[in-house]
């Protein structure tokens, strides 16, 4: 398909000083990492302790690190765009470059930042919270992580090799068809998302099975912590939404690769079908990422108000209702495309209906806080700041759901302001709250509160300074995805303010990095395992938890199991009862998930450049990895009682 | 802290196998959705022939009826293999699996020859939206069957090596589920694509 005679300048992205400096930065950091690992003899350690690990806690940490790196990359994209838009007629980025950056920014933020950060929390928290030794399928869990990781790497590679996608984060045809995007950019997009998407689907299956089948005895569903509930509902939505994405991307690729006619303009194809399909996944997707944030808020609110959550049952039901409704709203993304008044009215109503269960949740959080003994630690700060952000974001969402009015707002900066307010205020702040909350559980030390406050205020002030002006800009007629504008439009002052806000958020991120580095040395060590006086089972164990989690599986008698335990037992008696341990079975580490993901990467890279032999070789490698796994039989080992006793004693658990 | 009595049994070996079967059921739900989406696309595009050949002109009744019989029979023989497993007769298990796999192979062979014949007549994936969706939908099913064949072969080798135990039993159960599932999908293909195509 015309890619036979690639020259270096086609293969490597050339001619842009910004990209050259990025090239240099990438090469330098890769070299220094390689140098460090070799110098300190860390290769074996990296392989044994991390790359081949099937421990959900380690996988969670790897997800988190990768997601924070992607937040950095997506954030730099955002700042580049806001710099370009700060003043009229700037020539900082060219139009094509701007197109590429908003595409990679959107894609990375949602699929390679929000999703993995969410999976980080799933992995770190869920098994501990429900009293399990691991997830249902530890090997598959590692596969999921590495698929995400190599999918993200493939996508990011487009930056220096071949060129980035430029058809928006949802790649609408016909723009994303070969006729309009002949380069490899869209192929990178398709394969990067496809590979990591398969991993996400597997994670959804894994956590549904984990939560349904692995709860500690006595933990009935209605005794389960709300975060676990939010993970369950989010995972169910994943199971129903992601297959649609898989097919949609596959069909787009078949169009591009084999000249088929699904979504193009010729041969009887139907571009609107793509828009319908992609939003059948895309709208549920935003609920997939926000539901776990709701779970985090519920945990944080009840812990820091030292009260049971208000309206537990209504919390559970509202989450389930949201997950069902999220599948019946997708048309609100294209009210203006001529579906007709009846269809638009139906989807307007379903969209507004979601506001009801969401409102229920907000009121439940407020009622929990009411008359609580509130401690204002970082997780609580982020939770409180979420409420006004989400109220404004939700209200503007309802405005967008008014179909006739949407003819005015559609694809304007009003929309940009709305969804960032929900995604940053809800999702990002929610996951930050979760990270601050569970950080001591992960690493055994707390994050410095003083630096954290700086980060918090910079993020929050920056957030409003950046996005409030955009609502106004939307009304003034500024549409999304414009790369420059004239002085005559009067948009300059508001745009400038907005850019300042973006940089304040960037500064907030810098403070967070500083906070982490500082706290590694100076952070308060968490010796009790329960620094916040928590309520759920994960706080009943030492920080960080031993690799087998629970030496003995707990017996649950009520909601907030650990809190009840603490009420009933004197300080000294806790966890010190005369115990009889039994040997524990644990899954062995495996290098196959990593190897399999590398083969996926090779396959994706091959098909991206139409190097069919390489693509097929990659797929064959994937098949061989699966077979190799199928032929393995002894995949567990036993931890003897003496070792459990030794580990528990070293953590001060048995006297 | 109070602890569960039978914690060991709870996550013991047997339960793990049952857990994997449970996970496979969820996987089948996702696979159903995958095919459901492809069916939806096909139904929308089946009349978009763009002046090219239609299903009526292309589909040959003896061909797809034969495919149907072969696949249904293979589902039946895979059922017999499961029965033999319950009787603990490993020779018969492997024997019936071989029959199943051969039938599956015949099915794939027929499908490949059908596809090549169509392509020779100029009815390729890039001819029209109808053909794009036809080849993708039917091809995805065929790909599933082919993967099943490799998998079944691997299982036969493992049955040889390890005999019947909790793990191989579970693998038999899962592959049985998979095979019946593909059969059910084919019934839909037969009806929606072929029968409605020639009518
Ligand atoms: C941290 C501060 C952020 C800033 C300053 C920012 C800024 C921007 C800008 C300037 C655009 C392009 C608007 C246009 O020209 O159409 C944009 C688009 C977008 N952003 Fe952000 N963003 C931020 C964070 C996020 C986050 C956290 C997410 C998701 C979790 C996100 C998701 C998106 C999406 C999906 C698009 C649309 C891309 C497209 O049009 O295809 N952003 N953002
Ligand atoms: Cu939506």
């Amino acid at each position: 398909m015309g890619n036979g005679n690639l020259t270096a300048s086609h293969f490597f992205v050339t001619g842009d000083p910004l990209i050259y400096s990025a090239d240099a930065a990438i090469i330098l950091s890769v070299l220094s990492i390689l140098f460090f690992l070799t110098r300190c003899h860390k290769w074996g350690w990296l392989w044994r302790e991390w790359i081949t690990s099937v421990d959900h806690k380690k996988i969670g940490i790897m997800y988190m690190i990768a997601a924070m790196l992607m937040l950095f990359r997506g954030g730099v994209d955002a700042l580049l765009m806001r710099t370009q838009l700060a003043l009229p007629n700037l020539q900082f980025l060219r139009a094509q470059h701007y197109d590429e950056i908003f595409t990679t920014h959107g894609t990375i933020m949602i699929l390679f930042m929000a999703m993995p950060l969410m999976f980080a929390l799933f992995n770190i928290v869920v098994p501990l919270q429900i009293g399990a030794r691991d997830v249902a399928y530890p090997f598959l869990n590692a596969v999921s992580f590495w698929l995400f990781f190599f999918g993200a790497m493939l996508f990011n590679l487009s930056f220096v090799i071949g060129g980035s996608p430029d058809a928006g984060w949802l790649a609408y045809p016909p723009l994303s068809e070969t006729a309009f995007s002949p380069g490899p950019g869209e192929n990178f997009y398709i394969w990067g998302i496809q590979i990591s998407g398969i991993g996400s689907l597997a994670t959804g299956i894994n956590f549904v099975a984990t939560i349904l089948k692995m709860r500690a005895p006595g933990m009935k569903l209605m005794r389960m912590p709300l975060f676990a509930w939010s993970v369950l509902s989010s995972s169910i939505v994943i199971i129903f939404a992601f297959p649609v994405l898989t097919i949609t991307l596959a069909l787009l690729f078949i169009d591009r690769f084999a000249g088929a006619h699904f979504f193009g303009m010729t041969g009887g194809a139907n571009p609107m079908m793509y828009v319908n399909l992609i939003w059948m996944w895309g709208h549920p997707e935003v609920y997939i990422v926000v539901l776990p944030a709701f779970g985090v808020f519920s945990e944080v609110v009840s812990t820091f108000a030292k009260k049971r959550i208000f309206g537990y049952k209504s919390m559970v039901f509202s989450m389930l209702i949201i997950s069902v409704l999220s599948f019946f709203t997708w048309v609100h993304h294209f009210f203006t495309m001529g579906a007709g008044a009846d269809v638009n009215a139906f989807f307007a109503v379903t969209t507004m209906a979601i506001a009801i269960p969401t409102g229920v949740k907000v009121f439940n959080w407020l009622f929990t806080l009411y008359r609580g003994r509130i401690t204002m630690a970082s997780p609580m700060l982020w939770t409180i700041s979420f409420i006004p952000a989400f109220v404004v974001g939700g209200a503007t969402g309802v405005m967008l759901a008014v179909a006739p009015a949407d003819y005015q707002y559609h694809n304007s900066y009003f929309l940009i302001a709305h969804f960032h307010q929900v995604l940053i205020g809800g999702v990002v702040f929610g996951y930050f709250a979760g990270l601050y909350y569970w950080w001591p559980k992960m690493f055994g030390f707390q994050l410095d509160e003083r630096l954290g406050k700086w980060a918090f205020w910079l993020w929050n002030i920056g957030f409003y300074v950046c996005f409030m002006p955009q609502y106004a800009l939307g009304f003034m007629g500024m549409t999304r995805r414009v790369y420059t504008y004239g002085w005559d439009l009067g948009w300059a002052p508001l745009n400038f303010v907005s850019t300042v806000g973006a940089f304040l958020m960037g500064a907030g991120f810098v403070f967070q990095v500083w906070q982490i580095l500082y706290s590694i040395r100076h952070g308060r060590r968490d010796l009790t395992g329960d620094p916040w006086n928590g309520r759920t089972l994960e706080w009943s164990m030492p920080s960080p938890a031993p690799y087998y989690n629970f030496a003995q599986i707990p017996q649950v008698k009520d909601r907030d199991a650990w809190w009840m335990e603490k009420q009933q037992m004197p300080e000294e008696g806790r966890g010190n009862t005369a115990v009889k341990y039994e040997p524990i079975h644990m899954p062995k580490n495996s290098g196959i998930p990593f190897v399999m993901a590398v083969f996926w990467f090779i396959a994706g890279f091959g098909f991206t450049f139409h190097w069919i032999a390489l693509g097929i070789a990659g797929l064959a490698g994937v098949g061989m990895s699966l077979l190799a796994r199928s032929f393995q039989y002894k995949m567990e080992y036993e931890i003897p009682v003496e070792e459990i006793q030794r580990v528990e004693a070293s953590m001060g658990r048995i006297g | 802290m109070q602890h569960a009595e039978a914690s060991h049994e709870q996550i013991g070996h047997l339960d793990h196998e049952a857990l994997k079967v449970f996970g496979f059921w969820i996987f089948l739900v996702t696979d159903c959705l995958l095919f459901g989406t492809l069916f939806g696309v096909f139904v929308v595009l089946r009349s978009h022939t763009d002046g090219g050949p239609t299903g009526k002109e292309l589909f040959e009744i003896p061909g797809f009826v034969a495919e149907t019989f072969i696949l249904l029979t293979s589902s039946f023989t895979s059922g017999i293999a499961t029965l033999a497993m319950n009787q603990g007769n490993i020779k018969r298990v492997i024997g019936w699996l071989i029959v199943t796999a051969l039938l599956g192979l015949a099915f794939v062979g027929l499908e490949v020859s059908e596809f090549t014949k169509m392509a020779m007549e100029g009815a390729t994936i890039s001819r029209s939206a109808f053909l794009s969706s036809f080849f993708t939908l039917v091809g995805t099913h065929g790909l599933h069957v082919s993967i099943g064949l490799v998998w079944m072969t691997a299982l036969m080798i493992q049955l040889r090596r390890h005999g019947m135990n909790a793990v191989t039993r579970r693998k038999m159960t899962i592959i049985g589920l998979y095979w019946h599932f593909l059969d059910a999908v084919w019934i839909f293909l037969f009806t929606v694509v072929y029968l409605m195509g020639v009518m």
Side-chain angles (χ1 to χ4, degrees):
Chain A
M1 298 220 36
N3 273 304
N5 46 355
L6 270 173
T7 57
S9 70
H10 278 108
F11 193 67
F12 296 107
V13 177
T14 50
D16 190 318
L18 267 174
I19 293 188
Y20 283 136
S21 48
D23 287 352
I26 292 172
I27 293 172
L28 280 179
S29 41
V30 168
L31 283 181
S32 56
I33 291 172
L34 293 182
F35 177 76
F36 171 81
L37 285 170
T38 314
R39 183 68 199 278
C40 306
H41 305 287
K42 289 286 188 199
W43 285 105
W45 165 83
L46 193 65
W47 177 259
R48 278 189 311 274
E49 296 289 320
W50 294 94
I51 292 176
T52 61
S53 177
V54 292
D55 181 345
H56 66 94
K57 301 178 283 301
K58 287 193 172 161
I59 290 177
I61 289 171
M62 291 194 286
Y63 265 123
M64 183 188 75
I65 295 171
M68 294 312 270
L69 288 174
M70 289 294 107
L71 177 60
F72 175 73
R73 153 92 212 249
V76 171
D77 280 348
L79 294 184
L80 290 175
M81 284 189 289
R82 278 315 321 167
T83 307
Q84 163 66 23
L85 293 174
L87 290 170
N89 300 330
L90 282 187
Q91 288 298 320
F92 176 60
L93 302 174
R94 285 165 295 127
Q96 171 63 21
H97 201 173
Y98 190 86
D99 292 350
E100 291 174 12
I101 291 186
F102 72 64
T103 303
T104 53
H105 164 78
T107 312
I108 285 180
M109 282 298 198
I110 302 228
L111 288 149
F112 302 131
M113 187 285 285
M115 288 294 276
L117 204 51
M118 169 177 95
F119 291 147
L121 292 176
F122 281 23
N123 270 290
I124 289 157
V125 182
V126 169
L128 300 182
Q129 215 174 36
I130 63 171
R133 292 237 161 82
D134 208 329
V135 296
Y137 317 113
F139 177 87
L140 185 68
N141 200 22
V143 172
S144 293
F145 171 74
W146 289 110
L147 288 186
F148 145 69
F149 184 83
F150 281 100
M153 288 302 113
L154 186 63
F155 184 86
N156 276 279
L157 200 62
S158 68
F159 180 54
V160 285
I161 291 182
S164 294
D166 57 2
W169 82 282
L170 287 180
Y172 277 13
L175 212 55
S176 54
E177 294 274 340
T178 316
F180 299 94
S181 282
E186 293 304 323
N187 296 340
F188 272 118
Y189 170 93
I190 290 169
W191 283 94
I193 298 182
Q194 191 71 293
I195 292 171
S196 71
I198 298 169
S200 305
L201 190 53
T203 305
I205 296 176
N206 214 335
F207 278 86
V208 166
T210 305
I211 293 173
L212 290 183
K213 296 285 183 188
M214 309 264 290
R215 276 167 294 132
M219 185 178 277
K220 304 199 179 98
L221 278 176
M222 278 299 167
R223 287 180 184 169
M224 197 162 74
L226 281 172
F227 181 70
W229 263 112
S230 73
V231 174
L232 180 61
S233 35
S234 168
S235 300
I236 292 174
V237 182
I238 290 180
I239 286 175
F240 282 89
F242 266 75
V244 183
L245 175 70
T246 307
I247 291 297
T248 312
L249 292 174
L251 299 186
L252 183 62
F253 184 70
I254 296 173
D255 265 5
R256 292 178 58 84
F257 187 78
H261 302 285
F262 288 107
F263 308 129
M265 303 292 273
T266 54
N270 184 349
M272 263 320 282
M273 196 165 60
Y274 182 90
V275 180
N276 272 297
L277 286 173
I278 198 84
W279 279 114
M280 274 182 213
W281 160 77
H283 189 83
E285 166 67 13
V286 300
Y287 286 92
I288 289 170
V289 291
V290 87
L291 282 168
F294 291 168
V296 171
F297 296 135
S298 302
E299 300 294 327
V300 168
V301 160
S302 66
T303 299
F304 290 91
K306 298 190 190 56
K307 272 172 71 183
R308 260 194 176 203
I309 194 88
F310 182 90
Y312 176 90
K313 281 202 181 118
S314 60
M315 285 300 219
V316 171
F317 285 118
S318 55
M319 275 193 284
L320 294 176
I321 291 169
I322 291 173
S323 41
V324 174
L325 278 182
S326 70
F327 283 96
F328 296 96
T329 65
W330 79 87
V331 172
H332 67 209
H333 295 274
F334 41 94
F335 281 149
T336 57
M337 290 203 209
D342 296 341
V343 174
N344 278 359
F346 173 80
F347 284 92
V349 171
T350 51
T351 304
M352 293 181 205
I354 290 197
I356 299 167
T358 314
V360 168
K361 302 187 75 68
V362 173
F363 280 112
N364 282 339
W365 290 316
L366 293 177
F367 284 133
T368 311
L369 290 173
Y370 180 66
R371 294 205 160 157
R373 280 172 291 143
I374 301 173
T375 334
M376 271 299 167
S378 314
M380 193 63 196
L381 277 179
W382 290 95
T383 300
I384 301 260
S385 70
F386 144 83
I387 291 178
F390 213 72
V391 168
V392 178
T396 52
V398 175
M399 286 171 76
L400 283 158
V402 180
D406 188 56
Y407 277 70
Q408 179 62 32
Y409 319 132
H410 185 70
N411 278 354
S412 74
Y413 250 73
F414 185 88
L415 166 82
I416 300 285
H418 153 71
F419 76 69
H420 280 93
Q421 204 159 14
V422 192
L423 281 167
I424 298 182
V427 177
V428 177
F429 286 8
Y431 295 172
F432 283 171
L435 286 183
Y436 283 101
Y437 183 55
W438 282 299
W439 190 275
K441 189 50 61 191
M442 278 186 262
F443 297 107
F445 62 88
Q446 276 170 285
L447 288 170
D448 184 74
E449 286 279 325
R450 193 175 44 90
L451 289 170
K453 289 232 164 77
W454 275 95
F456 171 80
W457 286 111
L458 283 165
W459 265 102
N460 263 274
I461 295 169
F463 173 65
Y464 288 98
V465 173
C466 181
F467 293 108
M468 288 300 137
Q470 296 184 3
Y471 285 119
L473 283 168
F475 284 132
M476 291 161 75
M478 181 162 165
T479 51
R480 75 194 288 198
R481 297 176 180 174
V482 289
Y483 90 105
T484 193
Y485 52 92
W487 282 103
D488 51 333
L489 294 163
W491 300 344
L494 286 173
N495 265 308
F496 189 79
V497 172
S498 178
T499 301
V500 171
F503 277 89
L504 288 177
M505 283 187 274
F509 182 77
V510 172
F511 266 91
Q512 286 177 307
V513 175
W514 182 8
Q515 180 190 18
I516 292 172
L517 296 177
Y518 177 86
S519 310
I520 290 176
R521 304 207 81 181
H522 306 286
R524 197 156 56 119
R525 303 293 120 174
D526 170 24
L527 302 173
T528 59
D530 188 11
W532 314 114
N533 196 2
R535 309 177 71 84
T536 40
L537 283 178
E538 72 270 30
W539 305 110
S540 72
M541 41 185 17
S543 303
Y547 50 101
Y548 48 75
N549 294 356
F550 297 88
Q552 274 190 315
I553 299 291
Q555 173 86 45
V556 176
K557 287 196 290 246
D558 203 346
R559 235 177 269 156
D560 291 341
W562 174 235
W563 183 261
M564 301 313 260
E565 185 91 11
K566 285 192 284 192
Q567 303 306 310
Q568 285 158 11
M569 259 198 202
E571 187 84 27
E572 320 81 62
R574 235 171 270 162
N576 276 353
T577 38
V579 280
K580 225 175 102 262
Y581 293 123
E582 281 187 63
I584 298 173
H585 290 268
M586 294 297 286
K588 282 186 197 160
N589 280 2
S590 171
I592 295 178
F594 179 82
V595 173
M596 196 198 302
V598 171
F599 278 124
W600 269 114
F601 179 91
I602 293 171
F605 190 79
F607 287 120
T608 292
F609 284 97
H610 293 258
W611 295 343
I612 297 171
L614 188 67
I616 290 177
L619 288 184
V622 172
M624 296 307 287
S625 316
L626 285 169
L627 279 177
R629 174 65 178 177
S630 174
F631 278 90
Q632 280 183 345
Y633 268 66
K634 288 235 171 317
M635 294 168 305
E636 288 194 334
Y637 70 100
E638 198 180 78
I639 310 176
V641 172
E642 303 80 66
E643 186 175 333
I644 304 171
Q645 271 165 344
R646 213 188 59 239
V647 175
E648 293 290 305
S650 76
M651 292 180 305
R653 287 281 135 167
I654 38 180
Chain B
M1 181 153 243
Q2 280 226 349
H3 294 283
E5 292 283 290
S7 62
H8 190 68
E9 266 72 71
Q10 279 254 310
I11 45 164
H13 209 69
L14 275 175
D15 254 13
H16 265 227
E17 304 306 329
L19 192 60
K20 285 186 176 153
V21 177
F22 178 75
F24 195 76
W25 275 105
I26 311 182
F27 164 77
L28 283 185
V29 171
T30 65
D31 223 17
C32 264
L33 288 156
L34 220 99
F35 277 109
T37 312
L38 283 175
F39 269 106
V41 171
F42 178 81
V43 170
V44 171
L45 295 180
R46 58 187 289 251
S47 55
H48 294 210
T49 48
D50 192 34
T54 61
K56 208 178 174 115
E57 291 156 25
L58 288 170
F59 301 150
E60 286 171 4
I61 297 176
F64 69 79
V65 170
E67 283 174 287
T68 308
F69 271 113
I70 291 174
L71 201 66
L72 289 185
T73 316
S74 82
S75 209
F76 182 68
T77 55
S78 89
I80 303 182
T82 312
L83 278 182
M85 175 182 82
N86 291 338
Q87 292 158 358
N89 188 334
I90 190 129
K91 281 230 175 73
R92 284 186 51 201
V93 174
I94 296 180
W96 283 111
L97 282 183
I98 291 176
V99 177
T100 309
L102 287 176
L103 288 168
L105 200 63
F107 171 86
V108 175
L110 277 179
E111 192 161 301
V112 171
S113 74
E114 182 199 4
F115 279 14
T116 15
K117 193 148 168 287
M118 284 170 73
M120 302 290 259
E121 291 166 8
T124 60
I125 195 167
S126 54
R127 175 61 192 84
S128 69
F130 156 66
L131 284 168
S132 303
S133 58
F134 166 80
F135 281 112
T136 309
L137 172 58
V138 180
T140 305
H141 177 269
L143 189 67
H144 271 71
V145 176
S146 315
I147 291 174
L149 289 177
V150 178
W151 188 4
M152 209 178 270
T153 315
L155 179 60
M156 288 188 266
I157 300 172
Q158 291 173 35
L159 280 167
R160 264 265 159 79
R161 266 194 210 164
H162 302 277
M164 215 85 88
N165 57 34
V167 178
T168 45
R169 265 173 209 283
R170 182 257 302 165
K171 290 190 177 185
M172 276 287 295
T173 312
I174 285 182
I175 215 160
L177 282 176
Y178 182 75
W179 207 256
H180 292 316
F181 167 77
L182 290 183
D183 212 39
V185 173
W186 178 261
I187 308 268
F188 280 95
L189 279 173
F190 175 74
T191 322
V192 176
V193 178
Y194 289 103
L195 277 188
M196 285 166 70
V198 293
M199 269 186 330

